Amino acid sequence: LQVSPEQVILSHSPLRLFSQFHHKCMLVAGQGPVEENAQDLGFKHVVTMEALRKAYPLLDMVDHSRRPKEGYSQKAALLASYRVVLFGEPVRWETSLQLIIDVLLSNGNPGAELQDIPYPHLPVLACNMDLLWMAEAKMPRFGHGTFLLCLESIYKKVTGRELKYEALIGKPSTVTYRYAEYLIKEQAQKQGWASPIRRLYAVGDNPMSDVYGANLYNNYLNCESILGSVESCESILVCTGVYRHEAAAARARQEGTAEAVFHGHRDFCFDPSLVEASYIVQDVNDAVQLAFKKEDWS
């Protein structure tokens, strides 16, 4: 089975649509080749967190081993009115939290002395809002949603104001599902399929992002009745990740509710019905077989 890049949607993929920022100076945070990823999405002027740290070494003071040595003199620094793109959780949280706050408080000039704090602050775009994710450990691990929670809390504690996002991208944002629908239709057209796509099936292991987002998009489709759009988006929850059916059932018996705590992002209102999956199956293979059966495909 060969999968082309056009068929893969990552949490940051919809940033291709945000062309109004593609020629701005963007400070990007996350792991991996974030500079290359940002350029692939269309951003022309990219500054990484490491480049900013090297330009302003006096800002990153938590780790004593990385502090400037005696005799240090400030060199020419990066001067730009940044916009901030948060791809995912960084490795050094303390460095990224400090430098992002510095950029927001200084209106893009973190080497300057703090003056009046600008508000609204510089635009912030964030991808991937999962509070938790499942790895090899028995318990879930912190996700980028946890990093965002820290950033929001620090900003509000320091300024007394809410951190605002220009856009939140990735599940459960409807932007991501609309982008997915667009790419699916594009692929269908390339394959020469004449029949319109009527239903989407969204498969995931996290009720608070995968299921919530799919159900939210389904509500959006029902309300908007957009000409040429799909009719429904059905959520399929698998039991091989964050969600464990036995553990969820035990909590429900103990607490009298399936989900007592909302793990979703601050900017999404909690609606208990949105975390109820259309279907619960064991794994992704079962989810695919369910979709085939629903569509009467052999």
Side-chain angles (χ1 to χ4, degrees), residues 112-224:
E113 186 174 342
L114 185 62
Q115 303 293 331
D116 292 336
I117 297 174
Y119 198 82
H121 53 70
L122 292 169
V124 178
L125 299 95
C127 312
N128 186 1
M129 293 165 274
D130 284 10
L131 185 76
L132 303 170
W133 65 287
M134 204 67 194
E136 289 76 18
K138 298 297 183 181
M139 292 188 292
R141 303 294 85 198
F142 292 156
H144 192 220
T146 308
F147 179 81
L148 297 180
L149 181 62
C150 294
L151 181 65
E152 294 155 11
S153 299
I154 294 170
Y155 185 84
K156 185 170 185 180
K157 192 70 172 180
V158 170
T159 68
R161 292 167 167 167
E162 295 284 353
L163 180 75
K164 301 292 185 181
Y165 294 96
E166 188 75 16
L168 287 166
I169 301 157
K171 297 172 293 187
S173 171
T174 54
V175 173
T176 296
Y177 291 85
R178 288 202 68 181
Y179 185 67
E181 179 185 342
Y182 164 76
L183 290 187
I184 290 170
K185 288 181 175 179
E186 189 179 62
Q187 289 296 313
Q189 188 176 30
K190 288 180 179 179
Q191 297 293 332
W193 294 354
S195 300
I197 295 172
R198 298 299 184 192
R199 282 173 297 278
L200 298 178
Y201 294 91
V203 182
D205 70 347
N206 192 333
M208 294 295 180
S209 58
D210 303 321
V211 172
Y212 186 104
N215 290 340
L216 188 66
Y217 192 58
N218 186 63
N219 288 354
Y220 167 80
L221 293 172
N222 292 335
C223 292
E224 294 297 323

